[in-house]
PDB file of all heavy atoms in Angstrom:
ATOM      1  N   ASP R   1     -34.379 -68.542  33.347  1.00 67.00           N
ATOM      2  CA  ASP R   1     -34.030 -67.160  33.603  1.00 67.00           C
ATOM      3  C   ASP R   1     -34.274 -66.324  32.362  1.00 67.00           C
ATOM      4  O   ASP R   1     -33.825 -66.660  31.265  1.00 67.00           O
ATOM      5  CB  ASP R   1     -32.574 -67.038  34.035  1.00 67.00           C
ATOM      6  CG  ASP R   1     -32.311 -67.620  35.410  1.00 67.00           C
ATOM      7  OD1 ASP R   1     -33.245 -67.641  36.237  1.00 67.00           O
ATOM      8  OD2 ASP R   1     -31.168 -68.042  35.660  1.00 67.00           O
ATOM      9  N   SER R   2     -34.971 -65.225  32.554  1.00 72.00           N
ATOM     10  CA  SER R   2     -35.353 -64.388  31.426  1.00 72.00           C
ATOM     11  C   SER R   2     -34.171 -63.716  30.742  1.00 72.00           C
ATOM     12  O   SER R   2     -34.301 -63.258  29.608  1.00 72.00           O
ATOM     13  CB  SER R   2     -36.368 -63.329  31.867  1.00 72.00           C
ATOM     14  OG  SER R   2     -35.801 -62.474  32.847  1.00 72.00           O
ATOM     15  N   ILE R   3     -33.032 -63.661  31.404  1.00 78.00           N
ATOM     16  CA  ILE R   3     -31.868 -63.014  30.812  1.00 78.00           C
ATOM     17  C   ILE R   3     -31.196 -63.879  29.749  1.00 78.00           C
ATOM     18  O   ILE R   3     -30.397 -63.377  28.965  1.00 78.00           O
ATOM     19  CB  ILE R   3     -30.824 -62.635  31.869  1.00 78.00           C
ATOM     20  CG1 ILE R   3     -30.288 -63.872  32.577  1.00 78.00           C
ATOM     21  CG2 ILE R   3     -31.415 -61.646  32.866  1.00 78.00           C
ATOM     22  CD1 ILE R   3     -29.105 -63.581  33.495  1.00 78.00           C
ATOM     23  N   TYR R   4     -31.503 -65.159  29.716  1.00 86.00           N
ATOM     24  CA  TYR R   4     -30.856 -66.075  28.787  1.00 86.00           C
ATOM     25  C   TYR R   4     -31.608 -66.165  27.474  1.00 86.00           C
ATOM     26  O   TYR R   4     -32.823 -66.348  27.450  1.00 86.00           O
ATOM     27  CB  TYR R   4     -30.753 -67.472  29.393  1.00 86.00           C
ATOM     28  CG  TYR R   4     -29.799 -67.583  30.557  1.00 86.00           C
ATOM     29  CD1 TYR R   4     -30.275 -67.903  31.823  1.00 86.00           C
ATOM     30  CD2 TYR R   4     -28.443 -67.362  30.387  1.00 86.00           C
ATOM     31  CE1 TYR R   4     -29.405 -68.012  32.901  1.00 86.00           C
ATOM     32  CE2 TYR R   4     -27.574 -67.463  31.459  1.00 86.00           C
ATOM     33  CZ  TYR R   4     -28.062 -67.789  32.714  1.00 86.00           C
ATOM     34  OH  TYR R   4     -27.197 -67.892  33.771  1.00 86.00           O
ATOM     35  N   ALA R   5     -30.864 -66.067  26.384  1.00 93.00           N
ATOM     36  CA  ALA R   5     -31.421 -66.434  25.098  1.00 93.00           C
ATOM     37  C   ALA R   5     -31.618 -67.950  25.064  1.00 93.00           C
ATOM     38  O   ALA R   5     -30.832 -68.702  25.640  1.00 93.00           O
ATOM     39  CB  ALA R   5     -30.503 -65.989  23.964  1.00 93.00           C
ATOM     40  N   MET R   6     -32.674 -68.388  24.393  1.00 94.00           N
ATOM     41  CA  MET R   6     -32.978 -69.804  24.278  1.00 94.00           C
ATOM     42  C   MET R   6     -32.951 -70.228  22.819  1.00 94.00           C
ATOM     43  O   MET R   6     -33.144 -69.409  21.917  1.00 94.00           O
ATOM     44  CB  MET R   6     -34.352 -70.105  24.883  1.00 94.00           C
ATOM     45  CG  MET R   6     -34.421 -69.909  26.382  1.00 94.00           C
ATOM     46  SD  MET R   6     -33.396 -71.114  27.284  1.00 94.00           S
ATOM     47  CE  MET R   6     -34.179 -72.662  26.803  1.00 94.00           C
ATOM     48  N   ALA R   7     -32.721 -71.498  22.606  1.00 96.00           N
ATOM     49  CA  ALA R   7     -32.594 -71.988  21.239  1.00 96.00           C
ATOM     50  C   ALA R   7     -33.148 -73.395  21.097  1.00 96.00           C
ATOM     51  O   ALA R   7     -33.256 -74.146  22.072  1.00 96.00           O
ATOM     52  CB  ALA R   7     -31.125 -71.968  20.801  1.00 96.00           C
ATOM     53  N   TRP R   8     -33.494 -73.729  19.874  1.00 98.00           N
ATOM     54  CA  TRP R   8     -33.827 -75.087  19.476  1.00 98.00           C
ATOM     55  C   TRP R   8     -32.692 -75.635  18.623  1.00 98.00           C
ATOM     56  O   TRP R   8     -32.114 -74.917  17.804  1.00 98.00           O
ATOM     57  CB  TRP R   8     -35.137 -75.145  18.692  1.00 98.00           C
ATOM     58  CG  TRP R   8     -36.356 -75.031  19.547  1.00 98.00           C
ATOM     59  CD1 TRP R   8     -37.050 -73.899  19.848  1.00 98.00           C
ATOM     60  CD2 TRP R   8     -37.045 -76.104  20.204  1.00 98.00           C
ATOM     61  NE1 TRP R   8     -38.118 -74.189  20.657  1.00 98.00           N
ATOM     62  CE2 TRP R   8     -38.140 -75.542  20.890  1.00 98.00           C
ATOM     63  CE3 TRP R   8     -36.839 -77.480  20.279  1.00 98.00           C
ATOM     64  CZ2 TRP R   8     -39.029 -76.307  21.640  1.00 98.00           C
ATOM     65  CZ3 TRP R   8     -37.723 -78.242  21.031  1.00 98.00           C
ATOM     66  CH2 TRP R   8     -38.798 -77.655  21.698  1.00 98.00           C
ATOM     67  N   TYR R   9     -32.409 -76.910  18.818  1.00 98.00           N
ATOM     68  CA  TYR R   9     -31.413 -77.646  18.056  1.00 98.00           C
ATOM     69  C   TYR R   9     -32.059 -78.924  17.546  1.00 98.00           C
ATOM     70  O   TYR R   9     -33.108 -79.332  18.032  1.00 98.00           O
ATOM     71  CB  TYR R   9     -30.200 -77.992  18.926  1.00 98.00           C
ATOM     72  CG  TYR R   9     -29.556 -76.797  19.592  1.00 98.00           C
ATOM     73  CD1 TYR R   9     -30.080 -76.266  20.768  1.00 98.00           C
ATOM     74  CD2 TYR R   9     -28.425 -76.199  19.044  1.00 98.00           C
ATOM     75  CE1 TYR R   9     -29.494 -75.171  21.383  1.00 98.00           C
ATOM     76  CE2 TYR R   9     -27.834 -75.100  19.653  1.00 98.00           C
ATOM     77  CZ  TYR R   9     -28.373 -74.604  20.818  1.00 98.00           C
ATOM     78  OH  TYR R   9     -27.784 -73.514  21.421  1.00 98.00           O
ATOM     79  N   ARG R  10     -31.426 -79.559  16.575  1.00 98.00           N
ATOM     80  CA  ARG R  10     -31.936 -80.835  16.101  1.00 98.00           C
ATOM     81  C   ARG R  10     -30.779 -81.735  15.683  1.00 98.00           C
ATOM     82  O   ARG R  10     -29.702 -81.268  15.332  1.00 98.00           O
ATOM     83  CB  ARG R  10     -32.920 -80.659  14.941  1.00 98.00           C
ATOM     84  CG  ARG R  10     -32.308 -80.118  13.656  1.00 98.00           C
ATOM     85  CD  ARG R  10     -33.397 -79.828  12.633  1.00 98.00           C
ATOM     86  NE  ARG R  10     -32.848 -79.346  11.376  1.00 98.00           N
ATOM     87  CZ  ARG R  10     -33.582 -78.904  10.365  1.00 98.00           C
ATOM     88  NH1 ARG R  10     -34.912 -78.872  10.463  1.00 98.00           N
ATOM     89  NH2 ARG R  10     -32.993 -78.479   9.245  1.00 98.00           N
ATOM     90  N   GLN R  11     -31.032 -83.026  15.730  1.00 98.00           N
ATOM     91  CA  GLN R  11     -30.045 -84.008  15.332  1.00 98.00           C
ATOM     92  C   GLN R  11     -30.725 -85.080  14.493  1.00 98.00           C
ATOM     93  O   GLN R  11     -31.589 -85.805  14.979  1.00 98.00           O
ATOM     94  CB  GLN R  11     -29.365 -84.634  16.553  1.00 98.00           C
ATOM     95  CG  GLN R  11     -28.210 -85.554  16.205  1.00 98.00           C
ATOM     96  CD  GLN R  11     -27.387 -85.938  17.414  1.00 98.00           C
ATOM     97  OE1 GLN R  11     -27.873 -85.908  18.546  1.00 98.00           O
ATOM     98  NE2 GLN R  11     -26.138 -86.295  17.192  1.00 98.00           N
ATOM     99  N   ALA R  12     -30.336 -85.155  13.235  1.00 97.00           N
ATOM    100  CA  ALA R  12     -30.856 -86.160  12.325  1.00 97.00           C
ATOM    101  C   ALA R  12     -30.062 -87.448  12.488  1.00 97.00           C
ATOM    102  O   ALA R  12     -28.925 -87.436  12.977  1.00 97.00           O
ATOM    103  CB  ALA R  12     -30.783 -85.659  10.888  1.00 97.00           C
ATOM    104  N   PRO R  13     -30.632 -88.582  12.070  1.00 92.00           N
ATOM    105  CA  PRO R  13     -29.909 -89.856  12.192  1.00 92.00           C
ATOM    106  C   PRO R  13     -28.548 -89.806  11.516  1.00 92.00           C
ATOM    107  O   PRO R  13     -28.431 -89.403  10.358  1.00 92.00           O
ATOM    108  CB  PRO R  13     -30.838 -90.848  11.497  1.00 92.00           C
ATOM    109  CG  PRO R  13     -32.198 -90.248  11.636  1.00 92.00           C
ATOM    110  CD  PRO R  13     -31.980 -88.760  11.516  1.00 92.00           C
ATOM    111  N   GLY R  14     -27.520 -90.200  12.244  1.00 94.00           N
ATOM    112  CA  GLY R  14     -26.175 -90.231  11.705  1.00 94.00           C
ATOM    113  C   GLY R  14     -25.520 -88.881  11.531  1.00 94.00           C
ATOM    114  O   GLY R  14     -24.416 -88.811  10.976  1.00 94.00           O
ATOM    115  N   LYS R  15     -26.162 -87.815  11.984  1.00 97.00           N
ATOM    116  CA  LYS R  15     -25.639 -86.466  11.818  1.00 97.00           C
ATOM    117  C   LYS R  15     -25.342 -85.824  13.165  1.00 97.00           C
ATOM    118  O   LYS R  15     -25.814 -86.273  14.207  1.00 97.00           O
ATOM    119  CB  LYS R  15     -26.626 -85.589  11.044  1.00 97.00           C
ATOM    120  CG  LYS R  15     -27.048 -86.140   9.699  1.00 97.00           C
ATOM    121  CD  LYS R  15     -25.882 -86.210   8.729  1.00 97.00           C
ATOM    122  CE  LYS R  15     -26.344 -86.687   7.363  1.00 97.00           C
ATOM    123  NZ  LYS R  15     -25.213 -86.778   6.403  1.00 97.00           N
ATOM    124  N   GLN R  16     -24.550 -84.754  13.127  1.00 97.00           N
ATOM    125  CA  GLN R  16     -24.271 -83.990  14.330  1.00 97.00           C
ATOM    126  C   GLN R  16     -25.451 -83.088  14.680  1.00 97.00           C
ATOM    127  O   GLN R  16     -26.254 -82.730  13.820  1.00 97.00           O
ATOM    128  CB  GLN R  16     -23.013 -83.138  14.142  1.00 97.00           C
ATOM    129  CG  GLN R  16     -21.742 -83.937  13.936  1.00 97.00           C
ATOM    130  CD  GLN R  16     -20.516 -83.049  13.816  1.00 97.00           C
ATOM    131  OE1 GLN R  16     -20.580 -81.842  14.037  1.00 97.00           O
ATOM    132  NE2 GLN R  16     -19.401 -83.651  13.477  1.00 97.00           N
ATOM    133  N   ARG R  17     -25.548 -82.719  15.941  1.00 97.00           N
ATOM    134  CA  ARG R  17     -26.570 -81.791  16.363  1.00 97.00           C
ATOM    135  C   ARG R  17     -26.314 -80.423  15.732  1.00 97.00           C
ATOM    136  O   ARG R  17     -25.174 -79.961  15.669  1.00 97.00           O
ATOM    137  CB  ARG R  17     -26.580 -81.676  17.892  1.00 97.00           C
ATOM    138  CG  ARG R  17     -27.761 -80.909  18.415  1.00 97.00           C
ATOM    139  CD  ARG R  17     -27.873 -80.852  19.944  1.00 97.00           C
ATOM    140  NE  ARG R  17     -26.881 -81.567  20.690  1.00 97.00           N
ATOM    141  CZ  ARG R  17     -27.122 -82.590  21.489  1.00 97.00           C
ATOM    142  NH1 ARG R  17     -28.361 -83.055  21.632  1.00 97.00           N
ATOM    143  NH2 ARG R  17     -26.139 -83.155  22.165  1.00 97.00           N
ATOM    144  N   GLU R  18     -27.365 -79.774  15.245  1.00 97.00           N
ATOM    145  CA  GLU R  18     -27.238 -78.476  14.619  1.00 97.00           C
ATOM    146  C   GLU R  18     -28.212 -77.477  15.234  1.00 97.00           C
ATOM    147  O   GLU R  18     -29.289 -77.842  15.705  1.00 97.00           O
ATOM    148  CB  GLU R  18     -27.476 -78.561  13.102  1.00 97.00           C
ATOM    149  CG  GLU R  18     -28.899 -78.960  12.715  1.00 97.00           C
ATOM    150  CD  GLU R  18     -29.136 -78.931  11.213  1.00 97.00           C
ATOM    151  OE1 GLU R  18     -28.303 -78.387  10.468  1.00 97.00           O
ATOM    152  OE2 GLU R  18     -30.177 -79.471  10.775  1.00 97.00           O
ATOM    153  N   TRP R  19     -27.829 -76.219  15.204  1.00 97.00           N
ATOM    154  CA  TRP R  19     -28.660 -75.148  15.695  1.00 97.00           C
ATOM    155  C   TRP R  19     -29.770 -74.837  14.696  1.00 97.00           C
ATOM    156  O   TRP R  19     -29.543 -74.836  13.486  1.00 97.00           O
ATOM    157  CB  TRP R  19     -27.803 -73.901  15.941  1.00 97.00           C
ATOM    158  CG  TRP R  19     -28.597 -72.654  16.171  1.00 97.00           C
ATOM    159  CD1 TRP R  19     -29.261 -72.307  17.306  1.00 97.00           C
ATOM    160  CD2 TRP R  19     -28.795 -71.598  15.230  1.00 97.00           C
ATOM    161  NE1 TRP R  19     -29.873 -71.083  17.134  1.00 97.00           N
ATOM    162  CE2 TRP R  19     -29.598 -70.631  15.879  1.00 97.00           C
ATOM    163  CE3 TRP R  19     -28.373 -71.369  13.925  1.00 97.00           C
ATOM    164  CZ2 TRP R  19     -29.986 -69.454  15.239  1.00 97.00           C
ATOM    165  CZ3 TRP R  19     -28.763 -70.197  13.296  1.00 97.00           C
ATOM    166  CH2 TRP R  19     -29.559 -69.258  13.955  1.00 97.00           C
ATOM    167  N   VAL R  20     -30.962 -74.558  15.206  1.00 98.00           N
ATOM    168  CA  VAL R  20     -32.131 -74.315  14.366  1.00 98.00           C
ATOM    169  C   VAL R  20     -32.649 -72.891  14.508  1.00 98.00           C
ATOM    170  O   VAL R  20     -32.898 -72.206  13.512  1.00 98.00           O
ATOM    171  CB  VAL R  20     -33.264 -75.306  14.690  1.00 98.00           C
ATOM    172  CG1 VAL R  20     -34.540 -74.954  13.933  1.00 98.00           C
ATOM    173  CG2 VAL R  20     -32.821 -76.734  14.358  1.00 98.00           C
ATOM    174  N   ALA R  21     -32.867 -72.426  15.745  1.00 98.00           N
ATOM    175  CA  ALA R  21     -33.486 -71.129  15.968  1.00 98.00           C
ATOM    176  C   ALA R  21     -33.118 -70.607  17.345  1.00 98.00           C
ATOM    177  O   ALA R  21     -32.822 -71.379  18.254  1.00 98.00           O
ATOM    178  CB  ALA R  21     -35.010 -71.221  15.838  1.00 98.00           C
ATOM    179  N   ARG R  22     -33.168 -69.291  17.493  1.00 97.00           N
ATOM    180  CA  ARG R  22     -32.811 -68.635  18.742  1.00 97.00           C
ATOM    181  C   ARG R  22     -33.782 -67.509  19.034  1.00 97.00           C
ATOM    182  O   ARG R  22     -34.244 -66.836  18.110  1.00 97.00           O
ATOM    183  CB  ARG R  22     -31.387 -68.067  18.644  1.00 97.00           C
ATOM    184  CG  ARG R  22     -30.912 -67.267  19.839  1.00 97.00           C
ATOM    185  CD  ARG R  22     -29.571 -66.598  19.545  1.00 97.00           C
ATOM    186  NE  ARG R  22     -28.521 -67.586  19.302  1.00 97.00           N
ATOM    187  CZ  ARG R  22     -27.921 -67.767  18.131  1.00 97.00           C
ATOM    188  NH1 ARG R  22     -28.256 -67.027  17.085  1.00 97.00           N
ATOM    189  NH2 ARG R  22     -26.975 -68.684  18.012  1.00 97.00           N
ATOM    190  N   VAL R  23     -34.095 -67.300  20.300  1.00 96.00           N
ATOM    191  CA  VAL R  23     -34.877 -66.149  20.724  1.00 96.00           C
ATOM    192  C   VAL R  23     -34.192 -65.533  21.941  1.00 96.00           C
ATOM    193  O   VAL R  23     -33.860 -66.230  22.897  1.00 96.00           O
ATOM    194  CB  VAL R  23     -36.349 -66.512  21.022  1.00 96.00           C
ATOM    195  CG1 VAL R  23     -36.463 -67.597  22.089  1.00 96.00           C
ATOM    196  CG2 VAL R  23     -37.134 -65.271  21.419  1.00 96.00           C
ATOM    197  N   THR R  24     -33.961 -64.231  21.907  1.00 94.00           N
ATOM    198  CA  THR R  24     -33.281 -63.546  22.997  1.00 94.00           C
ATOM    199  C   THR R  24     -34.257 -63.194  24.101  1.00 94.00           C
ATOM    200  O   THR R  24     -35.470 -63.358  23.978  1.00 94.00           O
ATOM    201  CB  THR R  24     -32.589 -62.273  22.498  1.00 94.00           C
ATOM    202  OG1 THR R  24     -33.591 -61.292  22.194  1.00 94.00           O
ATOM    203  CG2 THR R  24     -31.744 -62.541  21.270  1.00 94.00           C
ATOM    204  N   SER R  25     -33.711 -62.680  25.208  1.00 89.00           N
ATOM    205  CA  SER R  25     -34.550 -62.242  26.315  1.00 89.00           C
ATOM    206  C   SER R  25     -35.482 -61.118  25.900  1.00 89.00           C
ATOM    207  O   SER R  25     -36.545 -60.949  26.497  1.00 89.00           O
ATOM    208  CB  SER R  25     -33.682 -61.795  27.491  1.00 89.00           C
ATOM    209  OG  SER R  25     -32.832 -60.717  27.122  1.00 89.00           O
ATOM    210  N   GLY R  26     -35.092 -60.357  24.894  1.00 90.00           N
ATOM    211  CA  GLY R  26     -35.914 -59.273  24.390  1.00 90.00           C
ATOM    212  C   GLY R  26     -36.842 -59.666  23.261  1.00 90.00           C
ATOM    213  O   GLY R  26     -37.533 -58.808  22.710  1.00 90.00           O
ATOM    214  N   GLY R  27     -36.860 -60.949  22.906  1.00 91.00           N
ATOM    215  CA  GLY R  27     -37.771 -61.421  21.881  1.00 91.00           C
ATOM    216  C   GLY R  27     -37.236 -61.353  20.466  1.00 91.00           C
ATOM    217  O   GLY R  27     -37.972 -61.627  19.517  1.00 91.00           O
ATOM    218  N   VAL R  28     -35.972 -60.996  20.302  1.00 95.00           N
ATOM    219  CA  VAL R  28     -35.379 -60.984  18.977  1.00 95.00           C
ATOM    220  C   VAL R  28     -35.075 -62.414  18.549  1.00 95.00           C
ATOM    221  O   VAL R  28     -34.526 -63.198  19.321  1.00 95.00           O
ATOM    222  CB  VAL R  28     -34.103 -60.130  18.950  1.00 95.00           C
ATOM    223  CG1 VAL R  28     -33.451 -60.173  17.574  1.00 95.00           C
ATOM    224  CG2 VAL R  28     -34.413 -58.700  19.352  1.00 95.00           C
ATOM    225  N   THR R  29     -35.437 -62.762  17.330  1.00 98.00           N
ATOM    226  CA  THR R  29     -35.274 -64.122  16.840  1.00 98.00           C
ATOM    227  C   THR R  29     -34.327 -64.178  15.655  1.00 98.00           C
ATOM    228  O   THR R  29     -34.162 -63.201  14.919  1.00 98.00           O
ATOM    229  CB  THR R  29     -36.619 -64.724  16.419  1.00 98.00           C
ATOM    230  OG1 THR R  29     -37.183 -63.946  15.354  1.00 98.00           O
ATOM    231  CG2 THR R  29     -37.589 -64.743  17.590  1.00 98.00           C
ATOM    232  N   ASN R  30     -33.703 -65.327  15.479  1.00 98.00           N
ATOM    233  CA  ASN R  30     -32.970 -65.608  14.264  1.00 98.00           C
ATOM    234  C   ASN R  30     -32.983 -67.110  14.019  1.00 98.00           C
ATOM    235  O   ASN R  30     -33.216 -67.899  14.932  1.00 98.00           O
ATOM    236  CB  ASN R  30     -31.551 -65.033  14.278  1.00 98.00           C
ATOM    237  CG  ASN R  30     -30.689 -65.594  15.382  1.00 98.00           C
ATOM    238  OD1 ASN R  30     -31.087 -65.671  16.545  1.00 98.00           O
ATOM    239  ND2 ASN R  30     -29.461 -65.971  15.019  1.00 98.00           N
ATOM    240  N   TYR R  31     -32.732 -67.490  12.761  1.00 98.00           N
ATOM    241  CA  TYR R  31     -32.959 -68.853  12.321  1.00 98.00           C
ATOM    242  C   TYR R  31     -31.851 -69.342  11.408  1.00 98.00           C
ATOM    243  O   TYR R  31     -31.207 -68.553  10.709  1.00 98.00           O
ATOM    244  CB  TYR R  31     -34.284 -68.946  11.559  1.00 98.00           C
ATOM    245  CG  TYR R  31     -35.474 -68.493  12.362  1.00 98.00           C
ATOM    246  CD1 TYR R  31     -35.883 -67.164  12.340  1.00 98.00           C
ATOM    247  CD2 TYR R  31     -36.182 -69.390  13.151  1.00 98.00           C
ATOM    248  CE1 TYR R  31     -36.972 -66.742  13.095  1.00 98.00           C
ATOM    249  CE2 TYR R  31     -37.268 -68.978  13.904  1.00 98.00           C
ATOM    250  CZ  TYR R  31     -37.660 -67.654  13.869  1.00 98.00           C
ATOM    251  OH  TYR R  31     -38.741 -67.242  14.614  1.00 98.00           O
ATOM    252  N   ALA R  32     -31.666 -70.642  11.411  1.00 98.00           N
ATOM    253  CA  ALA R  32     -30.809 -71.252  10.417  1.00 98.00           C
ATOM    254  C   ALA R  32     -31.428 -71.057   9.036  1.00 98.00           C
ATOM    255  O   ALA R  32     -32.650 -71.012   8.884  1.00 98.00           O
ATOM    256  CB  ALA R  32     -30.626 -72.737  10.702  1.00 98.00           C
ATOM    257  N   ASP R  33     -30.578 -70.938   8.024  1.00 98.00           N
ATOM    258  CA  ASP R  33     -31.076 -70.715   6.670  1.00 98.00           C
ATOM    259  C   ASP R  33     -32.063 -71.799   6.233  1.00 98.00           C
ATOM    260  O   ASP R  33     -33.008 -71.525   5.492  1.00 98.00           O
ATOM    261  CB  ASP R  33     -29.919 -70.646   5.683  1.00 98.00           C
ATOM    262  CG  ASP R  33     -29.110 -69.372   5.804  1.00 98.00           C
ATOM    263  OD1 ASP R  33     -29.604 -68.403   6.406  1.00 98.00           O
ATOM    264  OD2 ASP R  33     -27.976 -69.350   5.289  1.00 98.00           O
ATOM    265  N   SER R  34     -31.852 -73.010   6.695  1.00 98.00           N
ATOM    266  CA  SER R  34     -32.671 -74.128   6.264  1.00 98.00           C
ATOM    267  C   SER R  34     -34.117 -74.046   6.737  1.00 98.00           C
ATOM    268  O   SER R  34     -34.981 -74.724   6.180  1.00 98.00           O
ATOM    269  CB  SER R  34     -32.052 -75.445   6.738  1.00 98.00           C
ATOM    270  OG  SER R  34     -31.941 -75.472   8.145  1.00 98.00           O
ATOM    271  N   VAL R  35     -34.390 -73.227   7.755  1.00 98.00           N
ATOM    272  CA  VAL R  35     -35.747 -73.150   8.302  1.00 98.00           C
ATOM    273  C   VAL R  35     -36.352 -71.755   8.222  1.00 98.00           C
ATOM    274  O   VAL R  35     -37.511 -71.572   8.617  1.00 98.00           O
ATOM    275  CB  VAL R  35     -35.800 -73.646   9.761  1.00 98.00           C
ATOM    276  CG1 VAL R  35     -35.202 -75.039   9.874  1.00 98.00           C
ATOM    277  CG2 VAL R  35     -35.099 -72.673  10.700  1.00 98.00           C
ATOM    278  N   LYS R  36     -35.623 -70.784   7.717  1.00 98.00           N
ATOM    279  CA  LYS R  36     -36.140 -69.423   7.624  1.00 98.00           C
ATOM    280  C   LYS R  36     -37.428 -69.381   6.811  1.00 98.00           C
ATOM    281  O   LYS R  36     -37.527 -69.982   5.749  1.00 98.00           O
ATOM    282  CB  LYS R  36     -35.102 -68.498   6.989  1.00 98.00           C
ATOM    283  CG  LYS R  36     -33.979 -68.084   7.912  1.00 98.00           C
ATOM    284  CD  LYS R  36     -33.005 -67.143   7.211  1.00 98.00           C
ATOM    285  CE  LYS R  36     -31.883 -66.727   8.139  1.00 98.00           C
ATOM    286  NZ  LYS R  36     -30.886 -65.872   7.454  1.00 98.00           N
ATOM    287  N   GLY R  37     -38.400 -68.656   7.340  1.00 98.00           N
ATOM    288  CA  GLY R  37     -39.684 -68.524   6.672  1.00 98.00           C
ATOM    289  C   GLY R  37     -40.645 -69.654   6.958  1.00 98.00           C
ATOM    290  O   GLY R  37     -41.814 -69.570   6.575  1.00 98.00           O
ATOM    291  N   ARG R  38     -40.176 -70.709   7.614  1.00 98.00           N
ATOM    292  CA  ARG R  38     -41.022 -71.857   7.901  1.00 98.00           C
ATOM    293  C   ARG R  38     -41.213 -72.100   9.396  1.00 98.00           C
ATOM    294  O   ARG R  38     -42.280 -72.539   9.819  1.00 98.00           O
ATOM    295  CB  ARG R  38     -40.449 -73.123   7.268  1.00 98.00           C
ATOM    296  CG  ARG R  38     -40.287 -73.029   5.757  1.00 98.00           C
ATOM    297  CD  ARG R  38     -39.874 -74.360   5.145  1.00 98.00           C
ATOM    298  NE  ARG R  38     -38.581 -74.820   5.656  1.00 98.00           N
ATOM    299  CZ  ARG R  38     -38.397 -75.941   6.351  1.00 98.00           C
ATOM    300  NH1 ARG R  38     -39.426 -76.734   6.622  1.00 98.00           N
ATOM    301  NH2 ARG R  38     -37.186 -76.288   6.769  1.00 98.00           N
ATOM    302  N   PHE R  39     -40.183 -71.826  10.199  1.00 98.00           N
ATOM    303  CA  PHE R  39     -40.223 -72.060  11.639  1.00 98.00           C
ATOM    304  C   PHE R  39     -40.308 -70.735  12.380  1.00 98.00           C
ATOM    305  O   PHE R  39     -39.759 -69.722  11.936  1.00 98.00           O
ATOM    306  CB  PHE R  39     -38.970 -72.790  12.112  1.00 98.00           C
ATOM    307  CG  PHE R  39     -38.854 -74.230  11.674  1.00 98.00           C
ATOM    308  CD1 PHE R  39     -39.688 -74.768  10.705  1.00 98.00           C
ATOM    309  CD2 PHE R  39     -37.890 -75.040  12.244  1.00 98.00           C
ATOM    310  CE1 PHE R  39     -39.567 -76.089  10.306  1.00 98.00           C
ATOM    311  CE2 PHE R  39     -37.761 -76.362  11.860  1.00 98.00           C
ATOM    312  CZ  PHE R  39     -38.588 -76.888  10.898  1.00 98.00           C
TER     313      PHE R  39
END
């Protein structure tokens, strides 16, 4: 559904799942500090 913002998450071995990046229905994006400028 286009109304939902979507996101990527990741889980490293032995670690909890963490949020990586988000894109809204309008195309606005934001990123975790660890991946800003790269993803």
Side-chain angles (χ1 to χ4, degrees):
D1 291 332
S2 62
I3 62 172
Y4 292 116
M6 293 293 298
W8 283 94
Y9 305 82
R10 67 187 182 187
Q11 187 169 24
K15 305 295 183 181
Q16 296 183 8
R17 190 176 358 243
E18 65 176 347
W19 168 76
V20 173
R22 176 188 297 113
V23 57
T24 72
S25 60
V28 177
T29 61
N30 61 312
Y31 302 90
D33 288 343
S34 59
V35 306
K36 283 181 180 177
R38 302 187 299 117
F39 290 12

